[in-house]
Amino acid sequence: QKFPDAPKVLMEKCEPLETIEQPSIVFSEFLKTVTMNYTKHHSCAKLVEAWQEWYTEQKKISDELNK
């Protein structure tokens, strides 16, 4: 029996975090970059957690069916 394919959205790579390329930057730009990076990180973390939960459940089901 073939193990189910993962949802495509959970196989996508996380977006790269923003960087600050300028040698000097205003504090508001720094905060904006930090905020965007936290948002990207938490969004990606939720996808990874969803993937792990999906995989664990599907593996349990597959293991039970293939005993």
Side-chain angles (χ1 to χ4, degrees):
Q1 179 174 332
K2 184 178 181 262
F3 192 74
D5 292 333
K8 287 182 182 181
V9 69
L10 295 177
M11 296 303 291
E12 293 175 4
K13 293 185 183 235
C14 294
E15 291 183 44
L17 298 180
E18 301 295 322
T19 58
I20 300 172
E21 301 294 329
Q22 303 167 2
S24 62
I25 190 165
V26 294
F27 190 66
S28 62
E29 285 297 314
F30 171 77
L31 286 178
K32 179 181 173 184
T33 301
V34 169
T35 302
M36 288 187 329
N37 284 339
Y38 269 98
T39 301
K40 285 182 179 182
H41 167 76
H42 288 291
S43 177
C44 188
K46 291 294 180 189
L47 284 174
V48 170
E49 289 170 7
W51 160 249
Q52 291 170 346
E53 183 179 324
W54 177 87
Y55 180 83
T56 301
E57 289 303 312
Q58 296 303 314
K59 178 93 169 96
K60 283 180 190 175
I61 291 168
S62 179
D63 289 348
E64 287 296 317
L65 291 174
N66 292 315
K67 279 187 175 180

